Amino acid sequence: MNWTLDFKKPLAARAEFTGGKGSNLARLTAGNFDVPQGFIVTAAAYREWIDRADWWRRAVRDLPENDPAGLAAAAEHLRSRLLRLPLPEAVEAEMRAQVEGFPEGAAFAVRSSSTLEDMADAAFAGQHDTFLNCRGADAVIDAVQRCYASLWHDRAIAYRQQNGFDQFAAQMAIVVQEMVPCDTAGVAFSINPVTGDLGTAVIDAN
């Protein structure tokens, strides 16, 4: 099994494998947009990692979802345990090989890409973590694991609960994307993110 996919692979455009961000970047790449290159650590790699912890499902079932303070403490404890769970050797080896294919000293953005992101009725914006300027395979691997753990922030757990999502349905792919020097940067929305107006595009740049 391939645990990683580069943006040009057809499977990378499927959100069940690469999450919201990953699948959109793959579609843009397929459309010949000038996308900074990278690769995606698939949702299957996340499942291979977390299912090695025979306790995690029980811990999630025991989360006090209706007690905000208790949920914050329990989620923090859950993340701390998950961060001690090593990545499978095959997954780590494939990530190292991917990073080594880039120029020496390349800086990467390591971006959470949940399979529940960018849906019509749920965005998950700001719920999960992203790490910038990661240099070298060790830093990328550490950031990937922290992105995995961020699926279990109390804010993300509460958001899934409020929107009626099964906590166990949430899975995490990770985008590892080369960073590029720029004079300006920003984000463009093809819909007004406040009013939902499809006839309005919003660009926020600096």
Side-chain angles (χ1 to χ4, degrees), residues 98-118:
Q98 286 276 16
V99 171
E100 289 168 3
F102 286 83
E104 186 177 356
F108 297 92
V110 179
R111 311 173 64 194
S112 297
S113 183
S114 168
T115 55
L116 295 181
E117 284 182 9
D118 299 333

Side-chain angles (χ1 to χ4, degrees), residues 123 189-198 200-202 204:
F189 297 90
S190 59
I191 179 176
N192 187 311
V194 176
T195 66
D197 180 11
L198 288 167
T200 302
V202 177
D204 187 5

Side-chain angles (χ1 to χ4, degrees), residues 4-6 37-41 91-110 134-144 174-178:
T4 64
L5 295 168
D6 67 48
Q37 286 305 292
F39 62 93
I40 302 152
V41 186
V91 174
E92 182 173 327
E94 201 165 312
M95 282 195 287
R96 287 186 182 278
Q98 286 276 16
V99 171
E100 289 168 3
F102 286 83
E104 186 177 356
F108 297 92
V110 179
C134 299
R135 298 179 186 271
D138 288 345
V140 169
I141 289 166
D142 178 69
V144 165
I174 309 291
V175 171
V176 181
Q177 188 174 22
E178 189 173 14

Side-chain angles (χ1 to χ4, degrees), residues 1-5 9 42 44-45 94:
M1 176 181 290
N2 290 333
W3 302 114
T4 64
L5 295 168
K9 297 290 186 182
T42 65
E94 201 165 312

Side-chain angles (χ1 to χ4, degrees), residues 158-178:
Y159 188 77
R160 288 193 292 270
Q161 180 197 27
Q162 291 164 10
N163 285 277
F165 292 115
D166 181 354
Q167 298 289 355
F168 295 110
Q171 299 176 43
M172 183 66 81
I174 309 291
V175 171
V176 181
Q177 188 174 22
E178 189 173 14

Side-chain angles (χ1 to χ4, degrees), residues 53-63 78 81 168:
D54 57 6
W55 49 264
W56 81 275
R57 291 182 181 273
R58 182 174 63 255
V60 170
R61 290 190 191 98
D62 290 342
L63 289 171
L78 172 59
R81 293 185 72 185
F168 295 110

